[in-house]
Amino acid sequence: MHLEDVLYDVAIIGSGPAGYTAAIRGGQLGLKVALIEADNVLGGTCLHVGCIPTKALLFNAEIWDHLKHAPDYGIAGIGTPQLDWAAVQKRKTAIVNKHTKGLEFLMKKNKVTVVSGYGRLTGPAKDGIHNVPAESSNSRPKTSSWLPAQRRARSSASSPTTASLPTSRSSRFPNRPSRSS
Ligand SMILES: Cc1cc2nc3c(=O)[nH]c(=O)nc-3n(C[C@H](O)[C@H](O)[C@H](O)COP(=O)(O)OP(=O)(O)OC[C@H]3O[C@@H](n4cnc5c(N)ncnc54)[C@H](O)[C@@H]3O)c2cc1C
């Protein structure tokens, strides 16, 4: 079956924290969700260059600083600490990879279809359906998959403007819990 043959309830562009949390929640609510990612890994800035790798490296820096000042903390016999930069990088990469695999698992668990490609919002819905092209950046000539979706979302990093999401019609989503409950 081609992607084009499936009508998604939601197409999300970008698999950073904004995108993957929306995708997981959509799956939990019983929606048919497509998550479009231009990069070859899930997780976005936060997982691959931002929050996670920087905090892993900062922890190394903290330990290094403590070791250099060990006598100040009443710890003797450390000698001269040596920094193994390759080991520092290896630890950081292992943490990032572990979380990337965790995200892949969560997408499967919540039945989210991950689409590799560069997604675009092309205009208003026709008959209530948005067509969201996902263009592969790895193939020449570029190929496009058109994902029919009843509604679409994108992560905040793609643009400072917020995509408007049509208000939900609960009859379409019988599994959606009532907000008042
Ligand atoms: C160095 C650094 C350190 C940070 N540390 C922290 C921290 O400690 N705590 C914290 O809360 N925040 C931190 N942040 C901020 C955090 O990374 C961002 O707030 C967060 O990543 C934003 O999430 P997002 O999903 O909106 O976008 P992103 O994480 O940027 O994800 C966007 C994703 O969308 C994809 N994409 C974009 N356009 C398209 C398209 N058209 N088609 C398909 N895919 C597309 C991108 O490839 C990317 O994977 C840090 C940022 C940096 C740079």
Side-chain angles (χ1 to χ4, degrees):
M1 183 182 285
H2 297 291
L3 285 170
E4 295 85 346
D5 297 333
V6 181
L7 176 61
Y8 291 90
D9 294 315
V10 193
I12 298 166
I13 299 178
S15 73
Y20 70 70
T21 48
I24 290 168
R25 193 67 186 126
Q28 288 170 342
L29 293 172
L31 303 181
K32 192 154 190 54
V33 180
L35 179 63
I36 306 167
E37 174 52 58
D39 209 346
N40 57 2
V41 280
L42 300 178
T45 306
C46 182
L47 182 50
H48 297 282
V49 293
C51 333
I52 304 300
T54 57
K55 271 44 175 195
L57 293 173
L58 277 173
F59 187 65
N60 282 89
E62 202 178 326
I63 291 176
W64 172 248
D65 194 55
H66 288 331
L67 286 175
K68 280 203 306 186
H69 300 98
D72 297 346
Y73 299 106
I75 301 169
I78 293 288
T80 309
Q82 306 279 323
L83 189 66
D84 182 346
W85 183 242
V88 170
Q89 288 292 326
K90 192 175 164 192
R91 174 179 172 275
K92 179 264 297 173
T93 303
I95 292 169
V96 170
N97 288 345
K98 184 178 161 195
H99 287 288
T100 306
K101 283 199 168 55
L103 272 184
E104 289 165 4
F105 169 78
L106 284 173
M107 294 309 119
K108 281 191 187 121
K109 186 183 169 201
N110 290 286
K111 298 184 172 55
V112 172
T113 303
V114 175
V115 179
S116 181
Y118 191 86
R120 283 183 297 129
L121 304 177
T122 53
K126 279 188 190 145
D127 299 327
I129 294 176
H130 298 272
N131 273 303
V132 184
E135 199 171 70
S136 166
S137 50
N138 300 327
S139 57
R140 296 284 184 276
K142 288 185 175 178
T143 55
S144 283
S145 301
W146 290 78
L147 276 78
Q150 289 173 326
R151 57 202 65 211
R152 76 278 191 266
R154 65 180 163 180
S155 64
S156 58
S158 309
S159 159
T161 57
T162 309
S164 62
L165 288 163
T167 40
S168 61
R169 278 163 277 175
S170 56
S171 58
R172 272 194 188 167
F173 304 115
N175 297 331
R176 186 196 296 272
S178 158
R179 284 188 188 281
S180 57
S181 60

Coordinates of all heavy atoms in Angstrom, one line a residue, residues 13-19 36-39 43-46 49-51 54-55 117-119 155-158, ligand 1:
I13 N 4.8 17.7 10.9 CA 6.1 17.9 10.3 C 7.2 18.2 11.3 O 7.0 19.2 12.1 CB 6.0 19.1 9.3 CG1 5.0 18.8 8.2 CG2 7.4 19.4 8.7 CD1 4.8 19.9 7.2
G14 N 8.2 17.4 11.4 CA 9.3 17.5 12.4 C 9.1 16.6 13.6 O 8.1 16.6 14.2
S15 N 10.2 15.9 13.9 CA 10.1 14.9 15.0 C 10.9 15.4 16.2 O 11.4 14.6 17.0 CB 10.7 13.6 14.5 OG 12.1 13.6 14.4
G16 N 11.0 16.7 16.4 CA 11.6 17.2 17.7 C 10.6 17.0 18.8 O 9.6 16.3 18.6
P17 N 10.9 17.5 20.0 CA 10.0 17.4 21.1 C 8.6 17.8 20.8 O 7.6 17.1 21.3 CB 10.6 18.3 22.2 CG 12.1 18.4 21.8 CD 12.1 18.3 20.4
A18 N 8.4 18.8 20.0 CA 7.1 19.3 19.7 C 6.4 18.2 18.9 O 5.2 17.8 19.1 CB 7.1 20.6 18.9
G19 N 7.1 17.7 17.9 CA 6.5 16.8 16.9 C 6.3 15.4 17.5 O 5.2 14.8 17.4
I36 N 6.5 13.3 9.8 CA 7.4 13.6 8.7 C 8.7 14.2 9.2 O 8.7 15.2 9.9 CB 6.8 14.5 7.6 CG1 5.4 14.0 7.2 CG2 7.7 14.7 6.4 CD1 4.6 15.0 6.4
E37 N 9.8 13.6 8.9 CA 11.1 14.1 9.4 C 12.1 14.1 8.3 O 12.3 13.2 7.5 CB 11.7 13.2 10.5 CG 13.0 13.5 11.0 CD 13.2 15.0 11.4 OE1 12.5 15.5 12.3 OE2 14.1 15.7 10.8
A38 N 12.7 15.3 8.1 CA 13.7 15.5 7.0 C 15.1 14.9 7.4 O 15.8 14.4 6.5 CB 13.9 17.0 6.8
D39 N 15.4 14.8 8.6 CA 16.7 14.3 9.1 C 16.6 12.8 9.0 O 15.5 12.2 9.0 CB 16.9 14.8 10.5 CG 18.4 14.9 10.8 OD1 19.2 14.3 10.0 OD2 18.8 15.5 11.8
G43 N 14.1 13.0 16.7 CA 14.5 13.6 17.9 C 14.8 15.1 17.8 O 14.7 15.8 18.8
G44 N 15.1 15.6 16.6 CA 15.3 17.0 16.4 C 16.5 17.6 17.1 O 17.4 16.9 17.6
T45 N 16.5 18.9 17.3 CA 17.6 19.6 17.8 C 17.9 19.2 19.3 O 19.0 19.0 19.7 CB 17.2 21.2 17.9 OG1 16.9 21.6 16.6 CG2 18.4 22.0 18.4
C46 N 16.8 19.0 20.0 CA 17.0 18.7 21.5 C 17.8 17.4 21.7 O 18.7 17.4 22.4 CB 15.6 18.6 22.1 SG 15.6 18.2 23.9
V49 N 21.6 17.8 19.1 CA 22.6 18.9 19.2 C 22.3 19.7 20.4 O 23.2 20.5 20.9 CB 22.7 19.8 18.0 CG1 23.2 19.0 16.8 CG2 21.4 20.4 17.6
G50 N 21.1 19.7 21.0 CA 20.7 20.6 22.1 C 20.8 20.0 23.4 O 21.8 19.6 23.9
C51 N 19.6 19.9 24.1 CA 19.5 19.6 25.5 C 20.3 18.3 25.9 O 21.1 18.4 26.8 CB 18.0 19.3 25.8 SG 16.8 20.1 24.8
T54 N 24.3 18.3 25.2 CA 25.0 19.4 25.9 C 25.0 19.0 27.4 O 26.0 19.2 28.1 CB 24.4 20.8 25.8 OG1 23.0 20.7 26.1 CG2 24.6 21.3 24.3
K55 N 23.9 18.4 27.9 CA 23.9 18.1 29.3 C 24.8 16.9 29.6 O 25.4 16.8 30.7 CB 22.4 17.7 29.8 CG 21.7 18.9 30.3 CD 21.9 20.0 29.4 CE 21.2 21.3 29.5 NZ 21.3 22.1 28.2
G117 N 11.4 12.5 4.9 CA 11.3 13.5 3.8 C 11.1 14.9 4.4 O 10.9 15.1 5.6
Y118 N 11.1 15.8 3.5 CA 10.9 17.2 3.8 C 9.5 17.6 3.6 O 9.0 17.6 2.4 CB 11.9 18.1 3.0 CG 12.0 19.5 3.5 CD1 12.8 19.9 4.5 CD2 11.1 20.5 2.9 CE1 12.9 21.2 4.9 CE2 11.2 21.8 3.3 CZ 12.1 22.2 4.3 OH 12.1 23.5 4.8
G119 N 8.7 17.8 4.7 CA 7.3 18.1 4.5 C 7.0 19.6 4.3 O 7.8 20.4 4.7
S155 N 6.1 21.4 13.9 CA 6.8 21.8 15.2 C 7.2 23.2 15.1 O 7.3 23.8 14.0 CB 8.1 20.9 15.4 OG 9.0 21.1 14.3
S156 N 7.5 23.8 16.2 CA 7.7 25.2 16.3 C 8.9 25.7 15.6 O 9.0 26.8 15.2 CB 7.7 25.7 17.8 OG 8.7 25.0 18.5
A157 N 9.9 24.8 15.5 CA 11.2 25.2 15.0 C 11.2 25.5 13.5 O 12.0 26.2 13.0 CB 12.3 24.2 15.3
S158 N 10.2 25.0 12.8 CA 10.1 25.1 11.4 C 9.9 26.6 11.0 O 10.3 27.1 10.0 CB 9.0 24.3 10.8 OG 9.2 22.9 11.2
Ligands
LIG1 C1 22.7 23.9 22.3 C2 21.2 23.9 22.7 C3 20.9 23.5 24.0 C4 19.6 23.4 24.4 N1 19.3 22.9 25.7 C5 18.0 22.9 26.1 C6 17.7 22.4 27.4 O1 18.6 22.1 28.2 N2 16.4 22.4 27.8 C7 15.4 22.8 27.0 O2 14.2 22.7 27.3 N3 15.7 23.2 25.7 C8 17.0 23.2 25.3 N4 17.2 23.6 24.0 C9 16.1 24.0 23.1 C10 15.5 22.8 22.5 O3 16.4 22.1 21.8 C11 14.3 23.3 21.6 O4 13.4 24.0 22.4 C12 13.6 22.1 21.1 O5 14.4 21.3 20.3 C13 12.5 22.6 20.2 O6 11.7 21.5 19.8 P1 11.0 21.4 18.4 O7 10.3 20.1 18.3 O8 10.1 22.7 18.3 O9 12.1 21.6 17.3 P2 13.4 20.8 16.9 O10 13.9 20.0 18.1 O11 14.3 21.8 16.3 O12 12.9 19.8 15.9 C14 12.5 20.2 14.6 C15 12.6 18.9 13.7 O13 11.9 19.2 12.6 C16 12.6 18.7 11.4 N5 12.1 19.5 10.3 C17 12.2 20.9 10.2 N6 11.5 21.3 9.1 C18 11.1 20.1 8.5 C19 10.4 19.9 7.3 N7 9.9 20.9 6.6 N8 10.1 18.6 7.0 C20 10.5 17.6 7.8 N9 11.2 17.8 8.9 C21 11.5 19.0 9.3 C22 14.0 19.0 11.8 O14 14.9 18.1 11.1 C23 14.0 18.6 13.3 O15 14.2 17.2 13.5 C24 18.5 23.7 23.5 C25 18.9 24.1 22.2 C26 20.2 24.2 21.8 C27 20.5 24.6 20.4

